[in-house]
Amino acid sequence: MRTTSGKRSFAPHVRLVLTALLPMLLSAGGDASARSYETGAGTAEEARRFLEKAERDLNTIWIRSSRASWIQSNFITEDTEKMAAEMQEQAIALTTKYALEAARFRGDNLPADVARKLMLLRLSLSMPAPDNDAERAELTEIAASMESTYGKGRYCPAGGTEDCLDLTAMSRILAESRDPDRLLDLWRGWRTISPPLRAQYRRFVELSNKGAGELGFRDVGIMWRSRYDMPPDAFAAELERLWTQVRPLYVALHAHVRARLGETYGADLVPKDGRIPAHLLGNMWSQGWTNIYPLVAPPEGKGGYDLTSILRAREVDELEMVRYGERFFTSLGFEPLPDTFWQRSLFVKPSDRDVVCHASAWDIDNQEDLRIKMCIQVNDEDFSTIHHELGHNIYQRAYRHQPPLFQGSANDGFHEAVGDTIALSVTPEYLKKVGLIDSVPGSDGDLALLMRMALDKVAFLPFGLLVDQWRWKVFSGEIPPERYNAAWWDLRRKYQGIEPPVRRTEKDFDPGAKYHVPANVPYTRYFLSTILQFQFHRALCEAAGYRGPLHRCSIYGNEEAGRRLRAMLEMGQSRPWPEALAALTGTGRLDATAMLDYFAPLKTWLDEQNRGRKTGF
């Protein structure tokens, strides 16, 4: 089974997938239509025998599907696309069969572990397919085609076939260029790959919703929201509560960035009190703003450093970047990665073929065949991304002793958060310990470090929230096909305060220019992960006995923090996520105050800078 990394142009499950990142709804979950499915008969012993067979059969087909998907992602051809689609069709058919059969066993009067497995089985598909051979085949072929179209995406600025750019090349230019015309050309050019996906996506929604209906859910959005141990509407409200907690921090950052971009590009391009043009933020989707750090930086003081320059000056290559990530986990008491990880992973973009470069972590056999797949660039962003991806692998390995239906994180946000929690410990103190800097700088450089982090984490929050807001409304019909693009930009204006740099119409399909939409990867996990990682970090720092500013804490080398983390990871999804959260943090409630604590010095500085400026959008 594959899990992928998120925000950074990352993602997650293969189209089938046992979204083994799902917790279950025992007493509170789902809507009435979902619960009404639990009307059949069956004894506890019959249920156990059914689950034993289901787990055995499903584990076999999931492994085969993962292998086929790995080949398709690493060798993009018509043949591998067809092979992966056929294998995924078989896997979806079998998973759908067992998910439907699970409904005949009642949820009450069954042992807790049996009831939980039955519910997880019903919720185990991110892409529920109709129980019809032709429609299931059509759905899997559409899914494989959309992901491959995205992976093969190119833009040829001159209009010919020479000097064409893939997403990696365009992202590099967006990160470094300050020519607004060049940035606009690439921003618009990448979005020429997605209009052909529009009709496919509309049909994809129709077929997926039909499959969800056969499993007892009104639509796919409700099914996805039913994975979080609370009713779907309550979960949506919980997300808004968390966003309300962190929005003042985002608005302060947005106002400062807008003002500095205005100084760079002029008021004609960047309004003093409006939304920021999307092509000026250094990222193809405006989801992370780290690449414009030089334009918005606070005074560096004596503590500033450029990790990208350090890595390149020391001639750290792609493989050694991964070794740094592995050594962090071993310092906490985790085992080194298996030899096969180093033999079978993809670290560098091949020059002779197309691959899906989107960073992802894979557990091929649900045991020890761990891998990552990413086209690593030697820079600070990928240094962090590697820790993120290895976090998936370490989590996968920790729960490998659980039964197949419990092999997943407490909820999908947990899986995303673990690696990023480790990345929060990539502090100056850590860099000194591993020899990347010669001395630990003083606190006068903290604002610079916090700004870099905020341009990644804080800037991402509204994007992390809105991607699934759009999809949930699409699946429910609230957003009809004739408003796909308009509704997408309505949400981006509302949450992010950004504006498309050129007029967009319904001939465009800008959601499809983001990997997770054509690949059908649920995205709320990344918003949750961003909140959770700071909550995890604060708890682990407390376990390590750290006293001091939260942003200077590193748990590198602390085995007590490692023990606390391992205890949670080994639970997999055998228990509802509030119990797993409490095992690490002492509370079962999501709390964004740890993030506010972390960025408190920066928020004070931003408020000072924003005096006299209009904030909001």
Side-chain angles (χ1 to χ4, degrees), residues 330-348:
T330 58
S331 82
L332 300 178
F334 290 94
E335 297 176 28
L337 291 161
D339 290 342
T340 53
F341 171 88
W342 303 101
Q343 298 161 2
R344 299 170 183 173
S345 292
L346 176 73
F347 302 121
V348 180

Side-chain angles (χ1 to χ4, degrees), residues 235-250:
F235 176 65
E238 180 72 353
L239 296 179
E240 286 293 335
R241 179 186 70 81
L242 293 168
W243 170 239
T244 299
Q245 282 186 292
V246 297
R247 188 178 187 276
L249 176 59
Y250 177 80

Side-chain angles (χ1 to χ4, degrees), residues 24 34-54 97-111 114-119 121-122:
M24 115 171 206
R35 290 194 298 273
S36 69
Y37 238 74
E38 298 176 1
T39 58
T43 66
E45 183 57 31
E46 288 172 339
R48 283 197 186 278
R49 288 200 300 269
F50 163 76
L51 286 169
E52 286 174 1
K53 185 177 189 308
K97 170 181 177 291
Y98 280 124
L100 290 169
E101 289 182 12
R104 68 189 177 91
F105 298 99
R106 295 184 182 276
D108 49 358
N109 300 321
L110 290 173
V114 171
R116 183 169 182 80
K117 285 184 179 181
L118 290 169
M119 182 61 81
L121 187 50
R122 286 187 53 227

